Amino acid sequence: MKQFNTQHWFLPLLLLCVLIVAGCSSTTTSAETQAQNNPSVEQTLTPSSPTSTQPMANSPQLNGKATVVMTVNKSPITIEIDGTNAPITAGNFVDLVNKGVYDGLAFHRVVRDPQPFVVQGGDPQSKDPKFPSARLGTGGFIDPKTSKERMIPLEIKPKGAEQPIYSKTLESAGIQKAPVLSHTRGAVAMARSQFPDSASSQFYFALADLPFLDGSYAVFGYVTDGMNVVDQIKQGDRIQSAKVTQGLENLKN
């Protein structure tokens, strides 16, 4: 019988915990943490979960592909957004880019040691340079139409499926197939808390292949050019601009 290699599994589990704690919603991993990080968290509710075949009707959707060019440290990062396999997640991101939400926001979490993991940003609170850095990672996009945080359902499409699975990880849905959009180096995905439907505006770049995240977090695109720029991002660096350069006509609100 082979012995269980605890060292082999410890690091992926540790990194996974880092990402979960970094979830973008103000609903974090415990009631105590919520109260410490966001005094108004009691007014923020996790949205009702859509069924596996009926995503949120009022969510922006991307029907097809789009291209986003993000400028960081005066250098462009080109991202191909995949609305074919992740229409709601991709639509949310393209809509926020088009609204200028990401312009000026900081990357508040960069994990490269003990091995490359993620570069995470997209917390609207980071636009204010005086906002406490220790509290970054708790904010999401506040929709001016509703004055509430816009959250989207977890959306993962298994290989061979016609439609994505919503509001569940593939494991909790009992699906053993790999997702169509996997966490290869250069993947762009949504950060969230422990609650599946808590992604809002925070996203991350995968700095390496991260297969242990597949099926649990929603990938919606890939860096096609400028990964060298991503590799140089430091904590506190800001997104100077993010623009939809192609495919905006595929966005449906």
Side-chain angles (χ1 to χ4, degrees), residues 37-38 105 122-129 131 135-140:
N37 288 342
N38 191 343
L105 300 191
D123 184 341
Q125 299 171 128
S126 68
K127 197 158 192 173
D128 180 0
F131 191 85
R135 288 181 56 189
L136 291 178
T138 62

Side-chain angles (χ1 to χ4, degrees), residues 6-26:
T6 55
Q7 184 176 7
H8 175 76
W9 285 102
F10 177 74
L11 185 57
L13 289 173
L14 176 62
L15 293 176
L16 180 59
C17 289
V18 170
L19 188 58
I20 290 175
V21 171
C24 68
S25 165
S26 56

Side-chain angles (χ1 to χ4, degrees), residues 77-147:
I77 303 166
T78 303
I79 308 168
E80 183 179 88
I81 310 299
D82 190 343
T84 301
N85 294 301
I88 289 180
T89 313
N92 176 69
F93 185 78
V94 170
D95 181 57
L96 295 181
V97 169
N98 193 47
K99 284 179 164 62
V101 170
Y102 292 112
D103 296 352
L105 300 191
F107 290 97
H108 62 273
R109 182 170 286 103
V110 177
V111 182
R112 290 195 174 91
D113 295 319
Q115 67 182 37
F117 185 44
V118 300
V119 170
Q120 184 175 329
D123 184 341
Q125 299 171 128
S126 68
K127 197 158 192 173
D128 180 0
K130 296 181 180 180
F131 191 85
S133 59
R135 288 181 56 189
L136 291 178
T138 62
F141 170 66
I142 304 300
D143 192 332
K145 294 181 180 179
T146 63
S147 298

Side-chain angles (χ1 to χ4, degrees), residues 11-12 15-16 19 111 115-119 179 181-187 189 204-217 219:
L11 185 57
L15 293 176
L16 180 59
L19 188 58
V111 182
Q115 67 182 37
F117 185 44
V118 300
V119 170
L181 303 178
S182 60
H183 281 80
T184 55
R185 171 173 157 80
Y204 59 89
F205 294 109
L207 296 177
D209 292 351
L210 305 172
F212 56 93
L213 298 182
D214 285 347
S216 296
Y217 293 84
V219 174

Side-chain angles (χ1 to χ4, degrees), residues 167-249:
S167 302
K168 295 181 179 180
T169 65
L170 294 191
E171 181 180 8
S172 64
I175 296 175
Q176 298 182 353
K177 294 182 179 179
V180 174
L181 303 178
S182 60
H183 281 80
T184 55
R185 171 173 157 80
V188 189
M190 295 303 291
R192 64 173 178 84
S193 74
Q194 67 185 38
F195 302 102
D197 297 345
S198 57
S200 180
S201 60
Q202 288 188 51
F203 68 95
Y204 59 89
F205 294 109
L207 296 177
D209 292 351
L210 305 172
F212 56 93
L213 298 182
D214 285 347
S216 296
Y217 293 84
V219 174
F220 61 88
Y222 295 90
V223 174
T224 58
D225 191 32
M227 193 61 198
N228 60 314
V229 180
V230 176
D231 287 334
Q232 298 301 315
I233 293 175
K234 301 182 295 297
Q235 187 169 319
D237 285 350
R238 294 186 177 274
I239 301 169
Q240 291 159 312
S241 67
K243 306 294 181 185
V244 184
T245 59
Q246 294 181 21
L248 186 58
E249 68 277 4

